[in-house]
Amino acid sequence: MLEIFNDLIKEKMYKYEHKSGLNVFVMPKKGFIKQYAIFATHYGSNDREFIIPGESEPTHVPDGIAHFLEHKMFEEESGSIFEEFSKNGASANAYTNFTTTAYLFSCTDNFYSNLRLLLDFVQRPYFTDENVEKEKGIIAQEIRMYDDDPSWRLFFNMLGGLYHVHPVKIDIAGTIESISKIDKDILYKCYNTFYHPSNMVLFVIGDIDVDKVAEIVNDSVKSKKRDGHIKRIYPDEPTKINKNYVEQKMSVSMPLFNIGFKDNDIGYGGKRLLKRDITTQICLEILAGRSSDLYEELYNDGLIDTTFDVEYVGEVDHGYSIIGGQSVDPEAVKKALIAKISSIYKVDDADFYRIKRKLLGRFIKSFNSVESIAHNFISYYMKDINILDFTSVIEDITPDDVLNRFKTHFNEDNCVLSVVKP
């Protein structure tokens, strides 16, 4: 196994590549009571069109199929796999986002038997005409529930304003119409394409034995390495936004808003993407973080409250910043925000180094939680980022990097205001 070590935070993990192409990462945490494992595939709702290894023609699939497949993986001929984890004293779950589907469990005992169970069931799909039809009704109810969720609609309305054709603007669960087109054959096709171990990663963390994990992987994963790679096909997305304002009326007591900035500096992963991510986080903290002048001004003027927050989402093929919360006058918040951006001609050194220390401290603190480490690891891995590179990358970022990011990313022409009003 390859040992990966970060001297600054004294954390290490081991990497092992199985003969199937599956990458396995183990992070021992001596003395920790809880153990955690995630078995994830690089497959999310954005993967609507792709070329299967060994084929030449593209395959098109209905929206929402990655999420649908995640739901179906927990059902087996003998019943639900949740019951088996429960008998073993483990809590199991799963999630699907734009780029990833992940299956996970946490426990304080019986870790190795739960790990075998995780690896086995994810490699054992069971789809029938009957259980697929039954699932359509369940997911249709979930779609309706999210359609009635103001925060969810606010977010996807913002994405619809930012993007013309990129699949990130489409709800992860799809629509009731799109899931009606799903059948067991297309589920098996997507499973066989994206759930091959060479397209997956296993991350385990806790007070566990590295060699024992490798032994279980060798026993449980039987696939051979696959020739070729999945070619993912995305439409050509214009650099300009789709629309600069989106409004929807729903049952809320006060208007909700998201101000989104489209990122056109995309097309790469690794340390370069990590630097973009951290640099943008620093920008957002300087611009509108809790300690910023703008936050204090907006709060004192009654335009924002404690729901106000900032976030950057950076992926290989898309990215955006979000500034949002609730306000009696979202348009006034956006106007003040744009004015503040226009006034930034230099980055204050004191603010810069204070926020760098804050982000580094937040990163180090996350290593007290096996859940935080595991989820951050998977998110970074899917972008070809080593989580332990965070400290060296943030150290190399300069005030000039932040100022340049302000100039290139926070542009009013690439900004959309999404509002949900009462």
Side-chain angles (χ1 to χ4, degrees):
M1 283 195 180
L2 173 67
E3 181 179 306
I4 306 168
F5 185 70
N6 184 303
D7 189 57
L8 178 65
I9 60 175
K10 309 301 181 188
E11 294 285 353
K12 66 180 175 182
M13 62 182 174
Y14 296 89
K15 178 185 177 182
Y16 162 63
E17 184 176 343
H18 183 259
K19 61 184 180 181
S20 64
L22 174 68
N23 282 323
V24 180
F25 293 84
V26 183
M27 184 174 284
K29 299 285 281 185
K30 295 295 182 184
F32 274 54
I33 295 174
K34 183 181 286 188
Q35 300 100 34
Y36 207 89
I38 299 185
F39 193 22
T41 174
H42 187 191
Y43 176 47
S45 63
N46 284 354
D47 296 307
R48 307 162 69 218
E49 185 178 3
F50 48 89
I51 298 177
I52 298 170
E55 298 186 4
S56 57
E57 294 300 317
T59 294
H60 303 261
V61 296
D63 293 332
I65 195 164
H67 172 260
F68 198 107
L69 183 51
E70 174 225 310
H71 272 236
K72 292 311 305 164
M73 288 303 299
F74 282 96
E75 185 171 349
E76 300 197 311
E77 193 169 6
S78 58
S80 172
I81 199 70
F82 283 112
E83 295 177 9
E84 297 301 315
F85 278 108
S86 182
K87 290 175 185 176
N88 271 352
S91 174
N93 210 335
Y95 63 86
T96 303
N97 58 33
F98 297 117
T99 63
T100 305
T101 306
Y103 303 85
L104 57 98
F105 73 84
S106 62
C107 63
T108 57
D109 200 7
N110 301 318
F111 173 78
Y112 300 111
S113 59
N114 283 313
L115 180 59
R116 289 184 188 276
L117 186 59
L118 176 68
L119 293 171
D120 288 346
F121 97 82
V122 175
Q123 296 179 91
R124 192 172 59 224
Y126 173 66
F127 311 137
T128 67
D129 292 331
E130 292 76 19
N131 68 28
V132 170
E133 286 304 312
K134 178 182 176 183
E135 196 67 37
K136 290 178 183 179
I138 296 170
I139 294 180
Q141 289 182 332
E142 184 177 337
I143 291 170
R144 293 188 188 99
M145 179 184 70
Y146 279 111
D147 282 344
D148 292 335
D149 183 326
S151 296
W152 193 253
R153 294 316 324 149
L154 178 75
F155 173 64
F156 273 96
N157 288 347
M158 181 203 72
L159 292 179
L162 290 176
Y163 293 96
H164 295 257
V165 292
H166 195 286
V168 73
K169 68 183 288 186
I170 299 169
D171 196 301
I172 293 166
T175 65
I176 293 175
E177 180 183 4
S178 70
I179 66 169
S180 70
K181 301 171 185 176
I182 295 174
D183 58 33
K184 70 175 184 180
D185 293 333
I186 194 65
L187 285 174
Y188 275 117
K189 177 175 279 193
C190 289
Y191 176 88
N192 291 328
T193 301
F194 291 100
Y195 280 68
H196 189 276
S198 61
N199 191 55
M200 302 184 75
V201 61
L202 173 67
F203 180 80
V204 297
I205 182 170
D207 195 346
I208 50 184
D209 184 270
V210 176
D211 293 329
K212 181 67 173 176
V213 171
E215 178 187 325
I216 291 172
V217 170
N218 287 336
D219 288 344
S220 302
V221 180
K222 305 300 183 184
S223 300
K224 296 181 180 179
K225 200 161 189 175
R226 181 167 63 185
D227 293 331
H229 298 281
I230 304 163
K231 182 178 180 182
R232 303 163 201 267
I233 301 171
Y234 302 116
D236 292 331
E237 171 65 34
T239 56
K240 293 184 177 180
I241 60 172
N242 184 25
K243 56 183 74 173
N244 59 20
Y245 183 77
V246 187
E247 179 182 309
Q248 184 174 353
K249 294 188 182 296
M250 299 186 73
S251 180
V252 293
S253 58
M254 185 184 295
L256 308 178
F257 73 94
N258 274 344
I259 301 169
F261 290 87
K262 186 177 187 177
D263 196 353
N264 289 311
D265 181 18
I266 57 173
Y268 54 86
K271 287 186 179 182
R272 184 181 171 194
L273 174 53
L274 180 57
K275 181 179 180 179
R276 183 181 97 202
D277 188 318
I278 299 171
T279 303
T280 313
Q281 290 183 55
I282 294 173
C283 287
L284 286 167
E285 289 290 339
I286 290 174
L287 176 63
R290 293 292 173 97
S291 60
S292 67
D293 293 339
L294 180 63
Y295 182 94
E296 184 177 4
E297 291 166 11
L298 292 172
Y299 188 85
N300 289 339
D301 289 343
L303 287 173
I304 62 170
D305 56 23
T306 55
T307 63
F308 187 80
D309 205 0
V310 298
E311 180 184 7
Y312 175 68
V313 176
E315 298 291 342
V316 172
D317 63 317
H318 69 275
Y320 47 88
S321 292
I322 309 176
I323 299 170
Q326 59 183 22
S327 174
V328 293
D329 191 349
E331 289 86 353
V333 176
K334 179 186 175 183
K335 183 178 179 180
L337 182 70
I338 297 300
K340 184 65 177 179
I341 293 169
S342 300
S343 71
I344 296 175
Y345 295 102
K346 70 181 296 292
V347 173
D348 182 79
D349 283 351
D351 285 343
F352 171 74
Y353 288 107
R354 174 179 54 80
I355 291 168
K356 273 184 70 169
R357 289 193 297 270
K358 174 184 176 180
L359 295 181
L360 181 58
R362 183 188 299 166
F363 174 76
I364 295 171
K365 183 180 179 182
S366 73
F367 278 78
N368 292 326
S369 164
V370 294
E371 294 96 330
S372 293
I373 298 168
H375 287 276
N376 287 338
F377 174 89
I378 294 297
S379 176
Y380 280 142
Y381 178 86
M382 297 302 173
K383 296 179 272 193
D384 196 28
I385 295 171
N386 175 359
I387 189 173
L388 295 183
D389 284 339
F390 185 97
T391 55
S392 62
V393 172
I394 194 172
E395 180 65 27
D396 289 341
I397 295 172
T398 67
D400 285 343
D401 292 325
V402 175
L403 184 60
N404 183 61
R405 186 64 169 154
F406 266 119
K407 293 177 179 177
T408 57
H409 176 51
F410 292 94
N411 186 326
E412 186 176 4
D413 292 337
N414 278 349
C415 175
V416 60
L417 173 61
S418 171
V419 180
V420 169
K421 290 187 174 181

